[in-house]
Amino acid sequence: MKITTVGIDLAKNVFQVHGIDEHGKAVLKKQLRRDQMAAFFVNLSPCLIGMEACGSAHHWGRKLQSMGHTVRLMAPQFVKPYVKTNKNDAADAEAICEAVGRPNMRFVPVKNVEQQAVLALHRARQGFVRARTAQANQIRGLLGEFGLIVPQGIGHIAKRVPELIEDGANELPGAFRLLIQRLLDHLKELDRQVEELEDKIHAWHRSSDLSRKLAMVPGIGPITASALVASIGDAKNFDGGRQVAAWLGLVPRQHSSGGKSNLLGMSKRGDTYLRTLLIHGARSVIYRVSQRADACSWISSVVNRRNKNVAAVALANKNARIVWALLAHDRQFDASYVRSTAVA
């Protein structure tokens, strides 16, 4: 009995394993605890192992690869069609084992420790930014109940709220003034946390040649560049720049049939965080171009023909393809670069 393919349904403490031989016959159906995983697979002959790209998947992928196994991670939505009956751990492990052997399956590259560490900084910063926005909205909402309106924009909170607290003419209760001061202090602490994490991300960006290379592209700064480098990893895992743009959800959805092509809105698939960064960067480029009367570029012509939101997505799509070209071919960004065409 030689196991050639294994599917693992990952969990926190109990893992379900399903293995088949070269003829596709199930020869292994086993449940393992977390402390039994390493001992079991280190004694198993090298084989193909499939897992869903979920929590701890990259950790186990690196660990199993170090034991000589070939590890493939798959998006959960691609595994679901292979579940035959009701959902349970055994059925999920069997479906993963079936899906990993499909010749046209799409796989997720296993991230290394450094990539995960940088992305952890981004996720933590994103959480603090959301908490900061929520805290600012709470302060604005509470003051609005007393007829005190603070203009939109988080910068107005730090400028206007201290004046409102000190103003004795607004008849605010003393306990409420103390509450707003406490919330304002919390907002400042969140802002400090965001700045500290941004400093760490900028430090990593300065130490990475690839990240500094991507930051030369208009619309891509240190935050976006570092997130792209950490998320994409080896750009050669993608067939081309268009696949990267589709991976980020920057292409239209399709609903075509009968030879008639019907393109819908943006697909919004993939990493929402990366897509948001690229689109916001594109908006800043569009704003700068609109301030120049002599601007004559590709994006200005798109803005003149289409809506600015459409132009922002188009530029984000273009930047995603440029990023792939720079990483896959080890090139430096050249704003005047023109693709050469073959002469027949």
Short mmCIF file of all heavy atoms in Angstrom, two decimals, residues 121-149:
data_model
loop_
_atom_site.label_atom_id
_atom_site.label_comp_id
_atom_site.label_asym_id
_atom_site.label_seq_id
_atom_site.Cartn_x
_atom_site.Cartn_y
_atom_site.Cartn_z
N LEU A 121 1.60 42.76 9.99
CA LEU A 121 1.67 44.19 10.27
C LEU A 121 0.56 44.94 9.55
O LEU A 121 -0.09 45.84 10.12
CB LEU A 121 3.03 44.75 9.85
CG LEU A 121 4.25 44.37 10.70
CD1 LEU A 121 5.52 44.91 10.06
CD2 LEU A 121 4.09 44.92 12.11
N HIS A 122 0.34 44.58 8.30
CA HIS A 122 -0.72 45.24 7.52
C HIS A 122 -2.09 44.97 8.12
O HIS A 122 -2.93 45.88 8.21
CB HIS A 122 -0.66 44.78 6.07
CG HIS A 122 0.39 45.44 5.25
ND1 HIS A 122 0.19 46.63 4.59
CD2 HIS A 122 1.69 45.09 5.00
CE1 HIS A 122 1.30 46.98 3.96
NE2 HIS A 122 2.22 46.05 4.18
N ARG A 123 -2.34 43.73 8.52
CA ARG A 123 -3.66 43.39 9.07
C ARG A 123 -3.88 44.11 10.41
O ARG A 123 -4.99 44.59 10.69
CB ARG A 123 -3.77 41.88 9.26
CG ARG A 123 -3.74 41.09 7.95
CD ARG A 123 -4.93 41.41 7.07
NE ARG A 123 -4.86 40.68 5.80
CZ ARG A 123 -4.44 41.19 4.67
NH1 ARG A 123 -4.05 42.46 4.62
NH2 ARG A 123 -4.41 40.47 3.57
N ALA A 124 -2.84 44.17 11.22
CA ALA A 124 -2.97 44.86 12.51
C ALA A 124 -3.20 46.36 12.29
O ALA A 124 -4.06 46.98 12.96
CB ALA A 124 -1.73 44.64 13.36
N ARG A 125 -2.47 46.95 11.37
CA ARG A 125 -2.67 48.37 11.06
C ARG A 125 -4.08 48.61 10.53
O ARG A 125 -4.74 49.59 10.93
CB ARG A 125 -1.65 48.83 10.01
CG ARG A 125 -1.88 50.25 9.50
CD ARG A 125 -0.95 50.59 8.36
NE ARG A 125 -1.31 51.86 7.76
CZ ARG A 125 -2.23 52.01 6.79
NH1 ARG A 125 -2.88 50.95 6.34
NH2 ARG A 125 -2.50 53.20 6.30
N GLN A 126 -4.56 47.74 9.66
CA GLN A 126 -5.90 47.88 9.13
C GLN A 126 -6.95 47.83 10.24
O GLN A 126 -7.92 48.59 10.23
CB GLN A 126 -6.17 46.77 8.10
CG GLN A 126 -7.50 46.88 7.39
CD GLN A 126 -7.72 45.71 6.45
OE1 GLN A 126 -7.09 44.66 6.58
NE2 GLN A 126 -8.62 45.88 5.50
N GLY A 127 -6.73 46.95 11.22
CA GLY A 127 -7.66 46.86 12.35
C GLY A 127 -7.66 48.13 13.19
O GLY A 127 -8.73 48.61 13.61
N PHE A 128 -6.47 48.71 13.42
CA PHE A 128 -6.39 49.95 14.19
C PHE A 128 -7.03 51.11 13.43
O PHE A 128 -7.66 52.00 14.03
CB PHE A 128 -4.95 50.29 14.53
CG PHE A 128 -4.38 49.51 15.67
CD1 PHE A 128 -3.21 48.79 15.54
CD2 PHE A 128 -5.04 49.49 16.90
CE1 PHE A 128 -2.70 48.06 16.61
CE2 PHE A 128 -4.53 48.77 17.96
CZ PHE A 128 -3.37 48.05 17.82
N VAL A 129 -6.88 51.13 12.10
CA VAL A 129 -7.49 52.20 11.30
C VAL A 129 -9.01 52.12 11.38
O VAL A 129 -9.70 53.14 11.53
CB VAL A 129 -7.02 52.10 9.83
CG1 VAL A 129 -7.85 53.02 8.93
CG2 VAL A 129 -5.55 52.46 9.72
N ARG A 130 -9.55 50.91 11.32
CA ARG A 130 -11.00 50.75 11.44
C ARG A 130 -11.49 51.16 12.82
O ARG A 130 -12.52 51.83 12.96
CB ARG A 130 -11.38 49.29 11.17
CG ARG A 130 -11.25 48.87 9.71
CD ARG A 130 -11.57 47.40 9.54
NE ARG A 130 -11.53 47.01 8.15
CZ ARG A 130 -11.66 45.75 7.72
NH1 ARG A 130 -11.84 44.78 8.60
NH2 ARG A 130 -11.61 45.46 6.43
N ALA A 131 -10.73 50.76 13.85
CA ALA A 131 -11.12 51.15 15.21
C ALA A 131 -11.04 52.66 15.39
O ALA A 131 -11.89 53.26 16.07
CB ALA A 131 -10.22 50.44 16.22
N ARG A 132 -10.03 53.29 14.78
CA ARG A 132 -9.90 54.74 14.87
C ARG A 132 -11.08 55.45 14.19
O ARG A 132 -11.62 56.42 14.74
CB ARG A 132 -8.58 55.17 14.23
CG ARG A 132 -8.30 56.66 14.32
CD ARG A 132 -6.96 57.00 13.67
NE ARG A 132 -6.95 56.69 12.26
CZ ARG A 132 -5.89 56.89 11.46
NH1 ARG A 132 -4.77 57.37 11.97
NH2 ARG A 132 -5.95 56.59 10.17
N THR A 133 -11.47 54.96 13.04
CA THR A 133 -12.61 55.54 12.33
C THR A 133 -13.90 55.37 13.14
O THR A 133 -14.71 56.29 13.26
CB THR A 133 -12.77 54.88 10.96
OG1 THR A 133 -11.56 55.05 10.21
CG2 THR A 133 -13.93 55.51 10.19
N ALA A 134 -14.07 54.18 13.73
CA ALA A 134 -15.28 53.94 14.55
C ALA A 134 -15.30 54.84 15.77
O ALA A 134 -16.35 55.36 16.16
CB ALA A 134 -15.33 52.47 14.97
N GLN A 135 -14.13 55.04 16.40
CA GLN A 135 -14.08 55.90 17.58
C GLN A 135 -14.37 57.35 17.22
O GLN A 135 -15.09 58.04 17.96
CB GLN A 135 -12.70 55.79 18.23
CG GLN A 135 -12.56 56.56 19.54
CD GLN A 135 -13.49 56.04 20.60
OE1 GLN A 135 -13.18 55.11 21.31
NE2 GLN A 135 -14.67 56.64 20.71
N ALA A 136 -13.85 57.82 16.10
CA ALA A 136 -14.13 59.18 15.66
C ALA A 136 -15.62 59.37 15.36
O ALA A 136 -16.22 60.40 15.73
CB ALA A 136 -13.30 59.51 14.42
N ASN A 137 -16.24 58.38 14.73
CA ASN A 137 -17.67 58.48 14.43
C ASN A 137 -18.51 58.45 15.71
O ASN A 137 -19.55 59.12 15.80
CB ASN A 137 -18.09 57.34 13.51
CG ASN A 137 -17.53 57.49 12.11
OD1 ASN A 137 -17.21 58.60 11.68
ND2 ASN A 137 -17.41 56.40 11.39
N GLN A 138 -18.06 57.68 16.71
CA GLN A 138 -18.79 57.65 17.98
C GLN A 138 -18.74 59.01 18.67
O GLN A 138 -19.75 59.49 19.18
CB GLN A 138 -18.22 56.57 18.89
CG GLN A 138 -19.01 56.40 20.18
CD GLN A 138 -18.37 55.40 21.12
OE1 GLN A 138 -17.15 55.35 21.25
NE2 GLN A 138 -19.20 54.59 21.78
N ILE A 139 -17.57 59.62 18.69
CA ILE A 139 -17.45 60.95 19.30
C ILE A 139 -18.32 61.96 18.58
O ILE A 139 -19.05 62.75 19.19
CB ILE A 139 -15.97 61.40 19.28
CG1 ILE A 139 -15.12 60.50 20.20
CG2 ILE A 139 -15.84 62.86 19.70
CD1 ILE A 139 -13.63 60.77 20.12
N ARG A 140 -18.30 61.91 17.25
CA ARG A 140 -19.11 62.84 16.47
C ARG A 140 -20.60 62.61 16.71
O ARG A 140 -21.39 63.56 16.82
CB ARG A 140 -18.78 62.68 14.98
CG ARG A 140 -19.48 63.69 14.08
CD ARG A 140 -19.14 63.48 12.62
NE ARG A 140 -17.76 63.85 12.34
CZ ARG A 140 -16.80 62.98 12.08
NH1 ARG A 140 -17.06 61.68 12.09
NH2 ARG A 140 -15.58 63.38 11.83
N GLY A 141 -21.00 61.33 16.82
CA GLY A 141 -22.40 61.03 17.05
C GLY A 141 -22.89 61.46 18.42
O GLY A 141 -23.99 61.99 18.57
N LEU A 142 -22.06 61.24 19.46
CA LEU A 142 -22.46 61.63 20.81
C LEU A 142 -22.59 63.14 20.94
O LEU A 142 -23.52 63.65 21.58
CB LEU A 142 -21.44 61.09 21.82
CG LEU A 142 -21.41 59.57 22.00
CD1 LEU A 142 -20.28 59.17 22.92
CD2 LEU A 142 -22.74 59.07 22.55
N LEU A 143 -21.67 63.87 20.34
CA LEU A 143 -21.75 65.33 20.37
C LEU A 143 -22.96 65.83 19.58
O LEU A 143 -23.57 66.84 19.94
CB LEU A 143 -20.47 65.95 19.83
CG LEU A 143 -19.22 65.79 20.71
CD1 LEU A 143 -17.99 66.29 19.98
CD2 LEU A 143 -19.40 66.55 22.02
N GLY A 144 -23.29 65.11 18.49
CA GLY A 144 -24.44 65.51 17.70
C GLY A 144 -25.74 65.42 18.47
O GLY A 144 -26.69 66.17 18.20
N GLU A 145 -25.82 64.52 19.45
CA GLU A 145 -27.02 64.41 20.28
C GLU A 145 -27.24 65.66 21.13
O GLU A 145 -28.36 65.92 21.60
CB GLU A 145 -26.91 63.18 21.18
CG GLU A 145 -26.93 61.85 20.44
CD GLU A 145 -28.27 61.60 19.76
OE1 GLU A 145 -29.29 62.07 20.30
OE2 GLU A 145 -28.28 60.96 18.70
N PHE A 146 -26.18 66.42 21.36
CA PHE A 146 -26.28 67.66 22.13
C PHE A 146 -26.26 68.89 21.23
O PHE A 146 -26.05 70.01 21.69
CB PHE A 146 -25.12 67.74 23.14
CG PHE A 146 -25.26 66.80 24.30
CD1 PHE A 146 -24.83 65.49 24.20
CD2 PHE A 146 -25.84 67.21 25.49
CE1 PHE A 146 -24.94 64.62 25.27
CE2 PHE A 146 -25.97 66.35 26.56
CZ PHE A 146 -25.53 65.04 26.45
N GLY A 147 -26.47 68.67 19.93
CA GLY A 147 -26.54 69.79 19.00
C GLY A 147 -25.19 70.35 18.60
O GLY A 147 -25.12 71.43 18.02
N LEU A 148 -24.10 69.64 18.88
CA LEU A 148 -22.75 70.09 18.52
C LEU A 148 -22.27 69.26 17.33
O LEU A 148 -22.04 68.06 17.44
CB LEU A 148 -21.80 69.92 19.70
CG LEU A 148 -22.21 70.65 20.99
CD1 LEU A 148 -21.26 70.33 22.12
CD2 LEU A 148 -22.28 72.16 20.75
N ILE A 149 -22.16 69.91 16.18
CA ILE A 149 -21.83 69.22 14.94
C ILE A 149 -20.35 69.43 14.61
O ILE A 149 -19.89 70.57 14.52
CB ILE A 149 -22.70 69.73 13.77
CG1 ILE A 149 -24.18 69.61 14.13
CG2 ILE A 149 -22.40 68.95 12.51
CD1 ILE A 149 -24.62 68.20 14.50
#
